[in-house]
Amino acid sequence: MEETNPISIIRQGCKLARELEANLPNLTDQHNMLLTSCDDIIKVFGTAKERLYTTQYQDTISHTPMNMLIRQPQESQQTQIEAASDLQGWLRSSYTQAMDIFQLQLQADQSRNPFETQKLGSDVHVAAGRDHAEASARSRSIGRGEFPVPPIDVSDSGTGNSSSQRQRRRRDDGERRTLTVPVPRIGNTEIPPEDGFTWRKYGQKEILGSKYPRGYFRCTHQKLYQCPAKKLVQRLDDDPYMFEVTYRGSHTCHMSSTAPSIPPPPDQISHDIAQFIASQPLPSSSVPLGSWLSMDSLGRGGSGMAIGGGGGGSGSGSGSGAGPSTTRSGKEVEFPVADMADVMFNSGSSSSNSMDFLFQAPEDVKWKPGDKQG
DNA sequence: CGCATTTGACCAGT
DNA sequence: ACTGGTCAAATGCG
């Protein structure tokens, strides 16, 4: 591409995304075409990100996928932000798609050569994590010779001890992938970054040498699909506005749209959708569907005690837990958008705070770098 | 009532 | 022994 202006590149990417969506009905069966198209879009956005990175956003956007573009409209770059504002929906949905594709490709790539995933990650940019983080992660995992092993298999991990003690699985997923993503500076900054999947928190732990606790998440559908995917989310010590997200395992549940390992019972699907819907602050109808699908993590005002809650003494449920604060997202959107929309808008939307909370001054968002409130 | 989160305890790896 | 990762009871919320 000849363009060098990042915004122009972004526009190009959005255009591609629109074209893709327009042709979506014709391409539903042509996964290769879809992959190619998505890849093109991803590359375009990746290029845009590089431009941004190498020019003026370096400080804030460093390792950021396009969602960062969207998520910090308050300070400088007003012009670009305005120009990009109408693209937000597309960017967000594209980001979600990119993550999906990224996951898919990772899975495919992993099966071929787990060591090459980083290359793919940097290509996709969505996962172009810090080198040192990646390196350290790899040195921790791959360095020990860990490979993706059949997860879920609770039977044992070498020390088949059986007997009465409860079994604890460890390193049931081998591969790790670390990326650094920005904290949304608007809305709730406590919410871990959106990545296109739904996660359920199962633990939090203080990590030696880190100011902030590490949150442990697993796929919401772990049981349903026996999905082994997990992620660890931790705020960076030196940059509290960045999360280091480590993905472990890959989503088998995600593959349900193409090659489901275990098809979920229909009622479970509707149950999931119902829950998903119920937990969403439904936006005004003017907001592109794709946008708010991935927008939820930005502004779910209130909940999201997922991260940083409090280390040693996070007051338990005290936090305005507006319901399940799993990082909901478009993962369930394996269904046609129209269907999803139908379901959603039939569910009785009432709220109309979509973009509003996104761009309102984050004044009541009290970001406490120390957090420990002690 | 069901589900998600919190949190202390337990377990595995180094 | 230490640290990170996971479990599961307790708790809270819708």
Side-chain angles (χ1 to χ4, degrees):
Chain A
M1 59 196 71
E2 60 278 21
E3 291 286 357
T4 54
N5 179 357
I7 298 301
S8 300
I9 298 173
I10 292 171
R11 287 185 187 281
Q12 186 180 348
C14 293
K15 183 183 174 186
L16 289 175
R18 287 194 184 91
E19 290 173 356
L20 173 60
E21 194 196 38
N23 290 323
L24 214 46
N26 305 325
L27 297 176
T28 50
D29 293 332
Q30 304 183 40
H31 290 185
N32 284 339
M33 282 293 295
L34 287 172
L35 279 172
T36 303
S37 300
C38 291
D39 197 43
D40 289 344
I41 294 168
I42 290 165
K43 283 177 180 171
V44 170
F45 282 121
T47 305
K49 185 213 146 189
E50 282 180 358
R51 294 281 190 275
L52 292 167
Y53 178 73
T54 54
T55 55
Q56 48 186 320
Y57 292 162
Q58 186 153 0
D59 287 342
T60 49
I61 217 169
S62 56
H63 303 281
T64 310
M66 26 308 184
N67 61 341
M68 190 54 191
L69 245 188
I70 308 160
R71 293 182 183 185
Q72 53 163 13
Q74 59 241 80
E75 282 132 23
S76 54
Q77 295 94 32
Q78 200 64 28
T79 306
Q80 282 100 326
I81 293 304
E82 283 178 14
S85 63
D86 66 325
L87 305 178
Q88 290 177 359
W90 286 104
L91 287 173
R92 290 198 191 92
S93 57
S94 298
Y95 173 57
T96 302
Q97 285 183 12
M99 283 304 298
D100 289 349
I101 297 297
F102 173 57
Q103 294 280 348
L104 288 171
Q105 290 190 353
L106 278 182
Q107 289 170 8
D109 199 67
Q110 262 179 265
S111 64
R112 288 195 299 272
N113 185 351
F115 292 94
E116 284 185 359
T117 54
Q118 186 185 3
K119 187 185 67 177
L120 184 146
S122 64
D123 188 25
V124 171
H125 288 284
V126 172
R130 290 187 171 180
D131 289 348
H132 74 267
E134 182 73 35
S136 62
R138 293 206 301 162
S139 67
R140 279 196 302 268
S141 58
I142 297 176
R144 277 197 311 231
E146 289 183 27
F147 280 86
V149 293
I152 296 123
D153 177 69
V154 192
S155 57
D156 84 323
S157 52
T159 61
N161 50 350
S162 66
S163 65
S164 57
Q165 288 288 9
R166 58 180 175 182
Q167 291 179 322
R168 290 170 184 274
R169 290 175 303 179
R170 197 160 239 211
R171 46 151 119 205
D172 55 357
D173 38 38
E175 180 84 5
R176 289 187 182 201
R177 222 163 279 93
T178 302
L179 48 144
T180 310
V181 294
V183 178
R185 300 196 186 193
I186 49 183
N188 193 330
T189 60
E190 304 277 307
I191 299 178
E194 185 63 31
D195 61 6
F197 293 96
T198 59
W199 301 96
R200 177 174 174 175
K201 190 174 186 178
Y202 67 90
Q204 176 171 304
K205 198 159 178 39
E206 295 282 347
I207 299 302
L208 209 71
S210 298
K211 278 193 234 171
Y212 309 102
R214 175 178 297 166
Y216 297 87
F217 298 82
R218 65 184 177 213
C219 180
T220 302
H221 307 296
Q222 185 193 44
K223 287 179 180 169
L224 180 61
Y225 294 96
Q226 297 197 326
C227 178
K230 295 192 183 83
K231 82 171 178 182
L232 286 58
V233 182
Q234 184 167 20
R235 210 183 286 276
L236 291 184
D237 223 14
D238 52 344
D239 187 357
Y241 283 100
M242 299 290 283
F243 280 125
E244 183 181 274
V245 183
T246 301
Y247 291 92
R248 308 169 63 187
S250 44
H251 283 274
T252 56
C253 62
H254 184 285
M255 300 302 289
S256 59
S257 61
T258 52
S261 48
I262 301 177
D267 9 337
Q268 182 61 42
I269 293 178
S270 27
H271 177 71
D272 282 354
I273 296 176
Q275 276 200 330
F276 173 70
I277 292 165
S279 66
Q280 295 303 314
L282 289 176
S284 63
S285 56
S286 63
V287 179
L289 177 63
S291 68
W292 77 261
L293 278 177
S294 53
M295 178 168 36
D296 59 298
S297 75
L298 301 180
R300 299 201 50 199
S303 108
M305 53 287 237
I307 307 300
S314 75
S316 55
S318 72
S320 51
S325 75
T326 50
T327 54
R328 301 259 180 207
S329 69
K331 186 262 143 189
E332 282 87 348
V333 191
E334 299 162 32
F335 310 93
V337 172
D339 292 351
M340 194 64 181
D342 187 55
V343 174
M344 290 185 308
F345 295 121
N346 282 335
S347 72
S349 72
S350 55
S351 75
S352 59
N353 53 347
S354 55
M355 291 297 203
D356 297 349
F357 62 75
L358 266 181
F359 297 109
Q360 71 190 7
E363 284 172 340
D364 62 348
V365 177
K366 295 199 175 64
W367 165 246
K368 292 169 291 186
D371 191 47
K372 308 257 175 168
Q373 43 185 314

